[in-house]
Amino acid sequence: MEDSNNTVNQNYDSDRDEIDIKSFFKIFKRGKNLIFGIVLSSTLVTGLYSFITKPKWSGSFNIVVKKNSQDSSGINPLENYGIFNEIINNDENETQRLILKSPSVLMPVFNFVKNYYEYKNINIDKLSFKEWVDDNLIIDFENNSSVLKVEYINEDKKLIKEALELISSKYKAYSKRDTEKQITKTIKYLKKQTKLMKEKSLNSMKAFNEFSINNGLGSIDGFVGLGPSVSLGGDPSGRELMNKLGNPGAEKYTENLRANKIFQADTISNSKAGMRYEAQFEMLMDYEAQFVDLSSKLKPNSNTLKELKSNIENLRDSLKRPNEILLEYRRLKLEASRNEGILQELESSLQVLELNKIKAPDPWEMISVPTIDSNPIFPKKERLIIGSLIISLIIGYLIAFIKEKSTGKIFELSEYKFLIKYKYLDTIYRNNIKVNTNIIDNLIDINDNVALVELSDNFLGNQIPKKQELFKEEREFCFVNLKDIETLSKFKKIILITEGGIIAKANIHLIEKYLIPYEKTILGWFYLD
């Protein structure tokens, strides 16, 4: 049972789809004059417009934007994680794109364009910077890369070329300006740090030498050197420090450098600082050796051992003070060495930066020169005409459909079947008399007296329909309208006939009411196609 119902439903859906498609083409056929009129008019207007309108051209160039933005520490903690790195790059691209579209970069180009328009006697009273950028410029990165495409659209090829060249030069100047500003800022910072470190290094050196002289730890003239020079390690040219200081985290980096770097210095054993106390140390060692030797030969309470033990303790007490002096000597020397090393690195980095400032910094790399496309971007004549054709066909069909519906008349056989209460007999055809005659011969006898009632708005207006050749000549039918409706009682059989678009829905039910007295003799109705 379920399979049977499914089959019925499928057949119904299939018939319905077929009816919908046929209805679509029938509406198109009935409204073809209106539709073709709209299509022809629209296509002609579009074609004329595409030929008389002034074409717009496009020119462009590409540059590689070098990113140098970093966080305050100079290190991006998320740069090793793909998704975060992609987000950061997208944000940087969007920031750069907005900067390059801003008045601070493009205002000179805008002023040049206004002057050009004034020279050409073009009214620019309502032209604003934002409107100019939105209407003429397309600035965007290619596929989330660092390649920036700058496209300029205008009707004047000469203006496009000159504007693009000016934009290119302004972008180069912007990249140089940004780099130079960063270098100048870093040089200023390094000079300040160098001045402070010179004073600090000088003070530490003075303190070290004064301590050495006061305690007799220097050479004959009392001056003590620091020994081998100390660097920060691994970067004698200062380039690494210069790179680190060239960002907003420079100060933090320098503090970390001062706090955490391990500086190399010669040890206390390699200096002559301890020579002053060498005799006392040797005497202590001699007493200790004698004590060990005699302690195995003499009794513990021997006067000799007591005297040696007393001498050893006295010497040890006297050497406590020199040990403290030597530790302080080592501390002061290490501090002076560290300060001198930092000063050398700062001076080296400053020299590198000042040399780089003298040389012109590399601008963003141009990977294409400004060029103008060989074909205009607007109007695209073929595309416009084809698009107009398609759109006008759709609009024309919709107008024809709405026009049909607005009349309230019936155009489809399926709708007639739903509205007419009498039996549907068959469909007959205007240009096929033979088929029509065969159809009616199966319904009535050739000698039957038959009346035809046309279901149309003309029936109510007492208008007799035009005579149509629908059946063979030996078949005679009488058309009856409302005026002669009483004559229907004389006929043995009555057949109704209708066609699309000749009667409104409301009038069908009205005519049926007039036909109530003759229902028994009404066989059904034909649809004329």
Side-chain angles (χ1 to χ4, degrees), residues 445-458:
D445 189 46
I446 192 170
N447 296 319
D448 284 344
N449 190 16
V450 179
L452 293 179
V453 176
E454 185 181 46
L455 297 179
S456 70
D457 293 340
N458 292 334

Side-chain angles (χ1 to χ4, degrees), residues 391-410:
I391 293 172
S392 59
L393 272 172
I394 295 172
I395 293 174
Y397 178 84
L398 289 175
I399 292 174
F401 177 80
I402 293 170
K403 184 179 177 182
E404 277 193 3
K405 295 300 178 183
S406 65
T407 62
K409 293 185 178 180
I410 306 167

Side-chain angles (χ1 to χ4, degrees), residues 112-133:
F112 166 78
V113 172
K114 288 201 299 183
N115 292 334
Y116 186 90
Y117 283 158
E118 287 178 351
Y119 177 76
K120 293 283 187 177
N121 295 321
I122 299 174
N123 186 11
I124 58 170
D125 292 341
K126 296 182 179 179
L127 183 63
S128 65
F129 177 82
K130 185 177 184 305
E131 180 185 359
W132 172 72
V133 171

Side-chain angles (χ1 to χ4, degrees), residues 367-410:
I367 59 175
S368 69
V369 296
T371 55
I372 300 176
D373 295 342
S374 57
N375 296 318
I377 63 167
F378 182 85
K380 300 284 188 182
K381 295 178 182 178
E382 293 182 0
R383 189 179 299 175
L384 272 176
I385 292 174
I386 293 173
S388 172
L389 179 65
I390 294 172
I391 293 172
S392 59
L393 272 172
I394 295 172
I395 293 174
Y397 178 84
L398 289 175
I399 292 174
F401 177 80
I402 293 170
K403 184 179 177 182
E404 277 193 3
K405 295 300 178 183
S406 65
T407 62
K409 293 185 178 180
I410 306 167

Side-chain angles (χ1 to χ4, degrees), residues 43-54 378-379 381 384:
T43 305
L44 287 175
V45 170
T46 303
L48 183 62
Y49 170 77
S50 66
F51 279 98
I52 65 174
T53 190
K54 199 170 183 180
F378 182 85
K381 295 178 182 178
L384 272 176

